[in-house]
Amino acid sequence: MRIQFNLIIRTLIPLAVSGFMTGAIAADERVSPEQLVAEMNQRIAAITQSSASNGIMPRFNQAKSLGCFAATFKVHDGIAKEFKQGLFAQPESYRALLRFANASEQDDTKKDIRGLSIKVFDVKGDPLWGEIGVQDFLLNSYPALFVATPEEFLDFIRARQEDKITGFFINPLNPHLKSLWILFKARAVHSNPFAIRYWSTTPFRHGSDDGTAVKYSVTPCAGKSVSVEGVAGENQLRSAMKQHISQASACLEFGVQKRTDPEAMPIEDASVIWDEADSPFVTLATITIEDQDFDTDDALAACEKVSFNPWQSLPEHKPLGRMNEVRRETYFKASQLRNKEAP
Ligand code: HEM
């Protein structure tokens, strides 16, 4: 064991010091928030453009669309008063659109983080940004993000653009070993995107001021699992979802986790999991997906075009923290570029 460890250290450190080193930023060289967003946008645009092929410009993150689904988003009756906020103020059944995706792999058999983006329609009230009547939620299949701050995310984007990802993790001047550990745990082989949990990882307001913060999670409904058999190959997750809804509707619960301990549940560190033992998720809505043709060429092409933004939100669900702040412009610019609306 000791020999193996020594071998790893002897191999990785020279690699990091030599060709794999990224342009790591020391703490005192931090850029202003405006510079940070501008650099992110410019690098995300370059990465997005360079990954275009066959007439498709895939998203910078959650690049492979597994499918987009029409759904119902039913806000429960009898929600506790403190959670009856914004979209959840009244029991109501809304039309919704769900997009499931692979973060970085085109081949569904490989380990990856899966994404779930939700758009709820016909919502009353003016949003903070974007289209009237729409509320978006964005979630990943792991409860923590692999980086803590937007500065760390920018370091990663720099490394990705310069093809020096290894250096991002093990650069001795600025190592990101926690990021490596989170990705090690978060990337997994999944067999059915309707059967796994998703988390927002970043916090959102739940009410009329920033005093109440929550994270979101979407969980498969208890007792409604469907066994999917015989799927294989690079599109096996799409096949699994098709088989699932042809047997029974897919059922997911939307829940919020209240921030009850400011120290243990930080707003400004997206890499920290808020402990469910301290504050369990409370279910506020049920999402139902009926059988539908989501995998035709036309449906998949439409799924490529749709755009989500955490700021497409009622004020009661305002995105909180600096990580979320950055996302308003980066998602908007990335979506404009993908849809070729950019000047
Ligand atoms: C500074 C932090 C972040 C940046 C710069 C960033 C950037 C991006 C970009 C540029 C896209 C593509 C948008 C498009 O082309 O329409 C994207 C997609 C996405 N991101 Fe992030 N992201 C960040 C944090 C997060 C976090 C915390 C989550 C947590 C769940 C997340 C989940 C997603 C999902 C689910 C999508 C797919 C959206 C879709 O279905 O169109 N991202 N991200």
Side-chain angles (χ1 to χ4, degrees):
M1 183 59 125
R2 185 165 188 90
I3 294 171
Q4 271 180 359
F5 182 74
N6 285 342
L7 190 68
I8 290 167
I9 295 297
R10 281 212 312 273
T11 314
L12 288 185
I13 289 188
L15 272 179
V17 176
S18 63
F20 287 91
M21 277 242 296
T22 71
I25 345 169
D28 58 350
E29 290 171 40
R30 289 294 180 206
V31 294
S32 71
E34 295 75 25
Q35 283 173 312
L36 185 135
V37 172
E39 185 178 341
M40 266 191 183
N41 285 339
Q42 180 251 316
R43 289 182 182 271
I44 288 172
I47 295 169
T48 307
Q49 277 167 321
S50 69
S51 58
S53 73
N54 300 330
I56 292 178
M57 200 181 282
R59 289 162 178 81
F60 163 79
N61 182 22
Q62 301 299 342
K64 178 175 176 180
S65 299
L66 298 171
C68 285
F69 299 82
T72 54
F73 189 100
K74 193 169 191 300
V75 174
H76 289 189
D77 202 355
I79 292 174
K81 195 165 170 242
E82 65 173 325
F83 296 120
K84 282 181 140 238
Q85 307 287 345
L87 180 65
F88 307 97
Q90 301 294 335
E92 189 97 47
S93 190
Y94 293 95
R95 281 188 309 120
L97 174 80
L98 269 64
R99 175 176 180 263
F100 292 83
N102 289 350
S104 46
E105 299 292 351
Q106 287 299 315
D107 181 349
D108 298 354
T109 63
K110 295 205 170 142
K111 283 186 179 179
D112 205 351
I113 296 169
R114 316 295 157 187
L116 168 58
S117 311
I118 303 173
K119 218 175 245 309
V120 185
F121 299 105
D122 308 322
V123 174
K124 291 180 201 75
D126 288 341
L128 291 165
W129 178 93
E131 210 181 322
I132 290 176
V134 181
Q135 171 71 48
D136 286 359
F137 300 106
L138 288 91
L139 305 101
N140 277 338
S141 59
Y142 193 73
L145 198 65
F146 74 107
V147 286
T149 61
E151 286 80 10
E152 273 194 348
F153 206 119
L154 177 58
D155 279 352
F156 176 77
I157 293 171
R158 287 175 174 165
R160 180 168 156 191
Q161 192 186 12
E162 290 158 19
D163 213 8
K164 292 174 179 169
I165 297 274
T166 314
F168 169 78
F169 294 115
I170 59 168
N171 180 346
L173 300 178
N174 187 16
H176 290 93
L177 298 179
K178 184 178 178 191
S179 299
L180 192 58
W181 179 236
I182 291 174
L183 283 180
F184 173 72
K185 287 192 291 181
R187 288 169 53 86
V189 173
H190 295 111
S191 56
N192 178 359
F194 293 145
I196 57 176
R197 264 187 93 176
Y198 302 86
W199 292 263
S200 64
T201 75
T202 51
F204 296 80
R205 181 198 269 183
H206 200 77
S208 51
D209 65 72
D210 291 357
T212 308
V214 298
K215 288 191 180 183
Y216 303 131
S217 183
V218 167
T219 311
C221 300
K224 299 244 171 145
S225 67
V226 167
S227 78
V228 168
E229 280 157 19
V231 294
E234 62 176 0
N235 291 318
Q236 67 180 24
L237 292 179
R238 213 175 269 158
S239 307
M241 291 191 288
K242 196 172 171 63
Q243 208 186 106
H244 184 133
I245 50 174
S246 71
Q247 289 181 55
S249 54
C251 177
L252 300 162
E253 286 183 340
F254 185 97
V256 296
Q257 178 189 35
K258 189 176 163 187
R259 181 176 187 236
T260 51
D261 177 346
E263 296 240 322
M265 301 176 167
I267 299 289
E268 294 296 351
D269 187 341
S271 70
V272 172
I273 298 173
W274 292 5
D275 195 337
E276 291 188 43
D278 295 338
S279 178
F281 277 89
V282 177
T283 302
L284 303 185
T286 299
I287 301 167
T288 309
I289 305 168
E290 305 290 351
D291 194 12
Q292 58 196 277
D293 289 332
F294 69 95
D295 59 342
T296 62
D297 288 349
D298 282 355
L300 291 173
C303 195
E304 278 309 316
K305 290 203 173 304
V306 67
S307 301
F308 298 83
N309 191 312
W311 287 84
Q312 175 69 67
S313 170
L314 291 176
E316 290 89 342
H317 310 304
K318 184 184 145 202
L320 297 177
R322 293 168 56 251
M323 186 76 88
N324 274 337
E325 185 62 44
V326 165
R327 296 167 78 193
R328 176 173 23 202
E329 198 178 309
T330 49
Y331 283 59
F332 176 57
K333 287 267 162 67
S335 144
Q336 273 191 321
L337 176 71
R338 283 195 296 109
N339 287 303
K340 297 200 170 48
E341 290 164 20

